[in-house]
Amino acid sequence: MSVYLNGRFLPLADAKISVLDRGFVFGDGVYELVPVYSNKPFRLDEHLRRLQASLDGIRLANPHGIAEWRELVLQLIALQEFADQSLYIQVTRGTPVEGQPPRDHAFPQGVSPTVFMFAQPLVTATPEQKAAGVCAVTAVDNRWLRCNIKAISLLANILLRQQAVDADCAETVMLREGWLTEGAASNVFVVQDGVLLAPPPSNLILTGITYDVVLELAAAHGIPYAVRAISEAEVRAADELWMTSSTREIMAIVKLDGAAVGTGAPGPLAQRMDALYQNFKQQVMRA
Ligand code: PDD
């Protein structure tokens, strides 16, 4: 498997960084996850823009311009042996150099960021899995207040997701002070009386690229929607509940904390949106 590390494409086994890398020692870095269909990256510019926003958020200069990133991503895609890919991009604050303290919270000066990219096969849900939907649990969102940064320090998200795994579920739906934020690694939508509801972009959620596509599709196809704060009571009384992400696409949550969501099966709007999303994907990939 070929990966990219700091200017070179090389076999995974040869990709080595220092144990003092800020990513390893502090989780000091940001990332992106770009879905690739038939060797074509989906919404790459949007992902690269969000990467820029994350880098700005942690005060790390972007090591590449958009055109350079695009070129590197396309080269990495071409080196893979599978056509549908989940392409991971990570940028850390790099490794302190000779003469600098090996570990110091303050930013090291004059250090190059570490840029690492690799791809793994993208496995999206089968029609059977979509027809079944998934279960989720709720938890208090105990993450920091800068969740709009796609930070590699994911300890809170990992612990939260594990609560779902421990309950044989797919996702943890998070609530902060009685309001819906998002999933441990996804955005969450509610359907109420035929209206699609989405929590507003803020520092409390990572606004997904998939989230944006879903709202664009709703607007384009006359599906009523509102972007507004959603209470825990509304989540629990939802007709439909969805999780969305680059890897899960649109997935209906049919059971929450053991209770059926709506009828207990994926609702009509989830099915419609998934069809629109699949169609959109096909169109973009053919273009
Ligand atoms: N995560 N919110 C969080 C906390 C996420 O981790 C993700 C995605 C999303 C959805 O974003 P998008 O639609 O752009 O994938 C929302 C990716 C898939 C991951 O960490 O692997």
Side-chain angles (χ1 to χ4, degrees), residues 221-254:
H221 295 273
I223 296 171
Y225 72 92
V227 177
R228 64 155 174 86
I230 301 166
S231 70
E232 174 171 357
E234 288 178 308
V235 171
R236 297 202 185 275
D239 298 326
E240 299 186 27
L241 197 61
W242 312 346
M243 59 184 285
T244 71
S245 79
S246 296
T247 48
R248 298 296 184 94
E249 302 187 329
I250 291 109
M251 179 55 86
I253 295 170
V254 296

Side-chain angles (χ1 to χ4, degrees), residues 126-140:
T126 62
E128 292 73 29
Q129 286 166 329
K130 279 185 183 158
V134 294
C135 73
V137 298
T138 59
V140 169

